[in-house]
Amino acid sequence: MGLFAALRWQLKETCGNAGLECTEVYPDEEPKFTSEAAIALFRIAQEAFTNILKHAEAASVDLTLGLDGDAIVMRISDDGKGIPAGRLTAIGSHGLASMRHRVRALGGRLEVRSPASGSTILLYESRGQRLAASR
């Protein structure tokens, strides 16, 4: 199963079980990822969905995976109550710490934005050796 199929399945399960309205957007063609990169991207999304279910009290979730030049961009957002500012970097925030660790291992960066309501997780990763599968 490819990354896109796995993400579609996970989002469908998450939204179906929680009664959330979910939207998703993917590129027309799936890039060739290394197995390490695909697993990391899936686990990051999975952790984001778990956090949304546990904390956000959201009604909807959006997942967008796209290409921006030579980078993979994954955006996961919700319309929930947002993340308190103190929790964004708190040591006890294991889910966010896990996502940051996975992104760094791939040479990318993670941004977490939490305005007055809702939250957005943005992941940027260069399509270099760590993401592209060998041909």
Side-chain angles (χ1 to χ4, degrees):
M1 175 184 299
L3 175 62
F4 290 4
L7 288 171
R8 283 185 183 103
W9 172 82
Q10 184 64 60
L11 190 65
K12 181 179 176 183
E13 286 292 305
T14 299
C15 294
N17 290 337
L20 297 172
E21 179 182 323
C22 294
T23 57
E24 54 191 327
V25 177
Y26 304 93
D28 291 334
E29 287 190 40
E30 183 169 346
K32 293 192 184 292
F33 297 104
T34 63
S35 60
E36 294 83 6
I39 290 168
L41 290 167
F42 178 79
R43 294 290 184 212
I44 291 164
Q46 192 175 46
E47 185 62 45
F49 299 150
T50 297
N51 285 349
I52 290 167
L53 292 178
K54 286 171 75 174
H55 306 292
E57 299 175 11
S60 66
V61 175
D62 299 311
L63 167 65
T64 301
L65 193 78
L67 306 175
D68 184 11
D70 202 33
I72 304 294
V73 180
M74 184 165 65
R75 181 180 61 95
I76 300 169
S77 57
D78 67 74
D79 65 351
K81 63 182 182 179
I83 303 169
R87 298 293 300 165
L88 290 174
T89 57
I91 293 172
S93 296
H94 298 294
L96 290 174
S98 171
M99 285 187 262
R100 283 189 182 96
H101 174 77
R102 289 181 192 277
V103 169
R104 274 190 236 124
L106 293 173
R109 68 184 165 94
L110 182 76
E111 287 181 26
V112 181
R113 300 176 186 164
S114 189
S117 66
S119 297
T120 300
I121 307 264
L122 287 165
L123 161 68
Y124 300 95
E125 295 187 51
S126 166
R127 284 193 291 172
Q129 293 289 358
R130 294 183 180 141
L131 288 179
S134 49
R135 297 177 187 234

